[in-house]
Amino acid sequence: MMNHDQLSPSHEVREARSSLEHSPRVRQPVHAQHATPSFFLSSFRAIKASRLQKRLSLNQACQQLAEWRENTELPPGHVAPTILGALPFDLTAQAELFIPTDIALTSREVLEADCGAETVEEPTLQSYHSDLSEAQYCSLVSDIKKRMAHSDLRKLVLGRCARLRFSGPVHVASVAKRLIAQNPRDMVFQIPLRDGSILVGASPELLIRKTGNEFCCHPLAGSIPRSSDREEDARRGQALLSSAKDRDEHAIVVAQLRSQLSALCRDLEIPDTPSLTRTATMWHLSTRLSGRIGDRKMSALDLARLIHPTAALCGAPRDLAFRTIAALEPSGRGLFAGLVGWSDARGDGEWAVTIRSGIIKGAEAQLFSGAGIVPGSDPEAEWHEIEAKLGTMRRALGLESVSA
């Protein structure tokens, strides 16, 4: 069975990495171009793409992957045709998926170097607005807890959006460079969007990684902000690991995935207890699920589509939580709490949860953070959690601390 830490790159992938250094890129007709390249970086693969051949809806992307799988011959050492992009929280909304003209497997070091030197003069922050104040957010958490006492709702992820305006255009390359440097364990991405804005972030949460017929998931649920004091930081991690409230929240997520994946795969392996995962700003409870897909024709995107959104992003029961989020959150999520990643003609791919991210356009940036609410949640603690989660993008924007 596979290693639970991560799926190792296949022999074909290693050959492709080597051959790319010596093979010319295949160029195809261009329908549109991006001035800003796209990339997706993980411990499994680093992909860089430039220029746009074709945009796709979610249905079109799944159909294209199926056609490639049926009709495309892929000798060892060749990079498979690939679809990149982002999916919204609500899969019925518009997707940001595309086929790039130029694509290459690369490395963290190359991607960081490609971002260039950081700008000497950063624009200054002029305004910061949150669609929910601390008092409003805490009031909603209390309201959700009351709903849980009189309904089937067991968990709900409540988010808020923050909008920032700067004195001049934000240098996205500098933001991406900081994200790569400051988040060595996370999946870092940069995706130009159809309206000219750019989705950029560093997600610690893997929804699905598939290679061949093997897959793994790494959901996160149950969190606590980290401390700069080493002893206090370790204490917080252990407190999270032993927290009954957070373990119950995490168990809801794992149970939902177990139910969904059991019907699709064999050899499903799920640890009995969660582990600790850390980012630069947060401790999380995490569980790595792994197994083998029964239908080899199912692509990573097909699988992601079936299990998104998980209880880690939405809540439980899913349909009730989804409707409640739409009723309570003042701003639509759009791409936030959606998915970002890639799938290729072999059916392989990676899709990360679009958290710890922002959408940047000119001098404006939009950020999102959320927390899982359960009956044992403390409103003020949940507010401090979502504030800490914004720290990843705040630091990438050159802001040490900002409050609503």
Side-chain angles (χ1 to χ4, degrees), residues 172-404:
V172 179
S174 293
V175 174
K177 188 179 186 72
R178 293 189 194 109
L179 286 169
I180 294 172
Q182 295 171 1
N183 303 277
R185 297 180 179 86
D186 298 342
M187 292 162 284
V188 185
F189 49 88
Q190 176 176 284
I191 306 291
L193 307 178
R194 67 183 71 225
D195 68 353
S197 59
I198 299 171
L199 173 68
V200 61
S203 175
E205 185 167 358
L206 175 70
L207 178 73
I208 193 77
R209 176 181 295 138
K210 179 178 176 290
T211 180
N213 70 336
E214 297 183 343
F215 76 91
C216 68
C217 305
H218 187 200
L220 308 179
S223 309
I224 192 170
R226 297 190 63 186
S227 171
S228 58
D229 179 86
R230 181 176 297 182
E231 291 185 2
E232 171 61 16
D233 188 50
R235 187 199 67 77
R236 291 186 184 184
Q238 290 305 309
L240 177 64
L241 193 59
S242 60
S243 166
K245 171 260 180 186
D246 290 288
R247 289 175 77 102
D248 287 345
E249 177 188 343
H250 189 81
I252 292 171
V253 175
V254 174
Q256 185 191 77
L257 282 168
R258 184 196 301 272
S259 175
Q260 292 171 317
L261 294 169
S262 294
L264 301 171
C265 67
R266 59 183 187 273
D267 302 328
L268 182 61
E269 294 191 5
I270 305 175
D272 293 332
T273 57
S275 302
L276 281 175
T277 291
R278 69 180 184 270
T279 69
T281 58
M282 303 294 297
W283 283 107
H284 298 284
L285 292 181
S286 67
T287 297
R288 293 186 182 273
L289 300 83
S290 61
R292 299 176 185 273
I293 298 298
D295 181 3
R296 286 186 63 92
K297 292 183 179 180
M298 181 176 286
S299 72
L301 181 58
D302 291 326
L303 189 56
R305 182 183 196 175
L306 288 174
I307 62 179
H308 173 76
T310 69
L313 295 173
C314 183
R318 184 163 72 175
D319 290 347
L320 177 57
F322 192 92
R323 294 194 302 270
T324 307
I325 288 169
L328 295 183
E329 290 184 0
S331 301
R333 291 188 177 185
L335 295 176
F336 293 125
L339 303 176
V340 59
W342 60 274
S343 285
D344 69 17
R346 292 187 174 94
D348 297 343
E350 291 179 285
W351 294 94
V353 174
T354 314
I355 54 176
R356 316 295 195 274
S357 60
I359 294 176
I360 298 172
K361 187 174 186 180
E364 297 182 348
Q366 184 178 358
L367 314 181
F368 175 87
S369 63
I373 311 304
V374 293
S377 293
D378 174 73
E380 290 188 2
E382 302 298 345
W383 172 262
H384 291 307
E385 178 179 322
I386 64 171
E387 280 290 288
K389 287 175 176 176
L390 288 177
T392 298
M393 281 303 301
R394 284 172 175 163
R395 286 203 310 276
L397 288 163
L399 307 171
E400 288 302 320
S401 62
V402 180
S403 58

